[in-house]
Amino acid sequence: MCGPHVPDFSSASIANMSIPTALTPPRRVLMGPGPSDVDDAVLAAMARPTLGHLDPRFLEVMDEIGSMLRSVFRTENQLTMPMSGTGSAGMETCMVNLLEPGDRVLVGVNGVFGTRMAEVARRCGAEVTEVKGEWGRAFEAEALRAGAEHDRYDLVAVVHAETSTGVLQPIPAVRELADELGALLLIDCVTSLAGHAVEIDGWGVDAAYSGTQKCLSCPPGLAPVTFSERAVEKMKARKTPVQSWYLDLSLIQGYWGEERSYHHTAPINMLYGLHEALRLVLEEGLEARFDRHRRHSKMLCEGLEALGLAARVPEAERLAPLTTIAIPDGVDDAAVRGHLLEHFGLEIGGGLGPMKGNTWRVGLMGAGSTERNVKLCLAALDDAMGRG
Ligand SMILES: *Cc1c(COP(=O)(O)O)cnc(C)c1O
C-alpha cells in the first residue's frame, strides 16, 4: 500500500482520544535569527481582555500603535500600520500593492531574503532583474548599478539587514541609484527595525516592511509597513486591482484610516503585544537601544575570537542584532546546537542556503540583547565544543 496516510476519524477513535494536557512550554533563551525573547510585559499585555475590533477603546489603541510605529520607523508617512501576518506578509504587501504586471524591479540578492523578494516580485508579474552579490557581503551601489539591464525601473528593492548572512546594507547610495533609475525604493527592515538606525524619511525610502519577532521582541504575527507619498501615488494610479484581496491596502485603509470599516478582524491581542513592545522601545529610546545592540554584538564577537571562533562578516558590514559565525572544521553543527538546547535551554540558529552546515547564527535582538545572554552563549559554546 502506498497511498496517503488517512487519519482515523471514526467516532470510536475520537471518543478514545485523550485530551492533551494544558500547554507549559519550557522557557528557552532564544538567540537564533528570530523569534527572539519576548519581554514579560509584552506577554502580559497580550493576556488582557480581547476587545471588539471596532470598540472605541480599541480604535484608540490602533491610533497609538500608528503613531508609535511612525516614531520607530522615523517617518511622518500617513500610511504606516501593522499588517496581519509575519514579516513575509509585509514583504508581500509591499510587492502586491506597488507592482503591476510588466513593471520593472531591480532586486539585490545576496541572501535568502533578497532571493525571496525577487520571487515575490516575479509572482506579481513584474519583470525582475536579480543582481547577485556575494553571500556575507553588502552591495556596493556600483555593483547594483552594473547589474541593471534597463535605464528605467519602477522599483529597486534591497534587504537592509540580511538575517541569513548577518550583513547590514547601507541605504543612502541605493537611494541615489533608485533616483537615477526613476524608481521607488523598497527596503526589508525585518531584522533592523528597533535594532539598528532605520531612517525612512531621512533616507528617502518609499516603502518598508518589518516583523514583530526580531528586534521589536514581540511574538511573530504582525508586519509593520510604511509607504511614502510617492508610493501612495503609484498605488492610486494602478490600472489593475491588487492581486491579493487580503493584503490590498486600498481596502485595509478603510479600517486603519478614518472610515473604520470592517475588512478582516484585526488580531486584537497581537496588537496589544505590539503596543506594549513599541512602548518599551520608545521608553528606552532609539539611540540607547541601538547602542545596546552594538555594545553586546561587539562583546559577543570579542568573546568568540577568544574561543577561536570567527565572525563571517567584516566588522564594518556586520549586523548588531545577528552575528554569523564560521563553524570550525571538524565541529558538528547539529551536535553543538543540540547540546546548547539540552544543557543550557539556549537556541541559536544554523545556516541557510550555501551557509547551511558551516555557519551558526546568533541573535542578540531586542530584549535578548543583554550582557548575560552574551556570556551564556559564549560559555555554552565553549562547553559544547570542549566535549565535541
Ligand atoms: C525573518 C525575516 C523575514 C521573514 O519574516 P517571517 O516573519 O519569517 O515571515 C524577512 N526578511 C528578513 C530580513 C527576515 O529576517
Side-chain angles (χ1 to χ4, degrees):
M1 295 257 294
C2 58
H5 170 70
V6 179
D8 180 4
F9 284 131
S10 65
S11 52
S13 142
I14 291 168
N16 291 335
M17 189 192 93
S18 62
I19 299 169
T21 53
L23 270 178
T24 50
R27 199 177 263 276
R28 309 278 199 216
V29 179
L30 299 180
M31 292 182 70
S36 62
D37 277 339
V38 178
D39 202 294
D40 282 343
V42 171
L43 294 176
M46 293 177 71
R48 291 188 189 130
T50 303
L51 286 168
H53 65 117
L54 294 173
D55 187 294
R57 180 64 189 104
F58 187 68
L59 299 182
E60 289 171 9
V61 172
M62 289 167 63
D63 287 343
E64 288 168 0
I65 289 174
S67 62
M68 288 193 286
L69 271 182
R70 284 184 199 93
S71 298
V72 173
F73 271 125
R74 305 264 292 155
T75 184
E76 294 186 359
N77 287 341
Q78 185 57 36
L79 189 52
T80 302
M81 64 196 167
M83 299 295 292
S84 306
T86 65
S88 305
M91 182 189 295
E92 194 124 16
T93 297
C94 292
M95 297 290 189
V96 296
N97 284 277
L98 290 175
L99 296 177
E100 291 191 84
D103 278 0
R104 285 178 183 161
V105 184
L106 183 83
V107 189
V109 177
N110 55 356
V112 165
F113 296 105
T115 307
R116 187 176 296 180
M117 274 183 150
E119 175 62 19
V120 173
R122 267 193 298 274
R123 289 184 184 211
C124 295
E127 187 195 320
V128 178
T129 303
E130 280 186 50
V131 183
K132 300 230 160 74
E134 187 186 338
W135 286 46
R137 294 304 304 270
F139 276 105
E140 299 282 350
E142 290 314 316
L144 286 173
R145 185 177 285 108
E149 291 165 351
H150 307 282
D151 295 339
R152 309 294 290 172
Y153 277 85
D154 296 283
L155 186 70
V156 169
V158 293
V159 178
H160 183 220
E162 195 26 283
T163 323
S164 63
T165 62
V167 167
L168 184 70
Q169 175 65 49
I171 300 301
V174 184
R175 174 69 265 179
E176 283 174 28
L177 172 64
D179 283 340
E180 287 167 32
L181 298 171
L184 296 176
L185 174 62
L186 166 65
I187 67 168
D188 173 322
C189 49
V190 174
T191 285
S192 49
L193 193 69
H196 268 286
V198 173
E199 297 282 346
I200 295 300
D201 288 359
W203 295 337
V205 173
D206 293 299
Y209 58 88
S210 191
T212 42
Q213 79 274 27
K214 314 260 167 123
C215 294
L216 288 169
S217 280
C218 205
L222 290 171
V225 293
T226 186
F227 297 88
S228 72
E229 277 304 313
R230 282 202 295 178
V232 171
E233 289 309 312
K234 175 146 179 26
M235 292 185 231
K236 281 193 183 145
R238 289 183 69 97
K239 296 180 199 72
T240 53
V242 171
Q243 73 191 41
S244 162
W245 178 87
Y246 193 70
L247 302 176
D248 184 342
L249 289 168
S250 68
L251 304 176
I252 292 174
Q253 279 177 84
Y255 177 56
W256 279 86
E258 294 295 306
E259 275 172 62
R260 309 293 194 179
S261 53
Y262 167 71
H263 176 257
H264 67 270
T265 310
I268 308 294
N269 292 57
M270 263 311 298
L271 287 161
Y272 292 171
L274 177 60
H275 184 277
E276 183 61 18
L278 290 169
R279 250 180 36 73
L280 294 175
V281 169
L282 294 173
E283 243 173 34
E284 178 175 12
L286 289 173
E287 289 306 326
R289 195 173 176 91
F290 304 152
D291 269 353
R292 176 163 63 81
H293 281 81
R294 262 195 301 272
R295 200 164 62 242
H296 294 135
S297 150
K298 186 158 176 284
M299 193 183 286
L300 175 69
C301 291
E302 286 167 2
L304 289 170
E305 216 173 290
L307 291 182
L309 293 168
R312 292 198 67 121
V313 175
E315 194 173 348
E317 297 175 5
R318 220 176 267 165
L319 284 179
L322 186 112
T323 303
T324 43
I325 305 168
I327 302 177
D329 287 341
V331 171
D332 183 337
D333 170 24
V336 167
R337 285 189 290 126
H339 183 92
L340 263 46
L341 193 64
E342 186 183 342
H343 297 278
F344 294 85
L346 172 62
E347 176 184 286
I348 66 168
L352 296 176
M355 294 188 167
K356 191 174 161 64
N358 59 43
T359 302
W360 288 315
R361 293 184 298 157
V362 174
L364 289 164
M365 298 181 180
S369 175
T370 62
E371 180 173 344
R372 181 176 160 177
N373 276 359
V374 170
K375 291 187 167 155
L376 173 69
C377 181
L378 291 169
L381 280 173
D382 194 23
D383 188 66
M385 290 192 304
R387 290 168 195 207

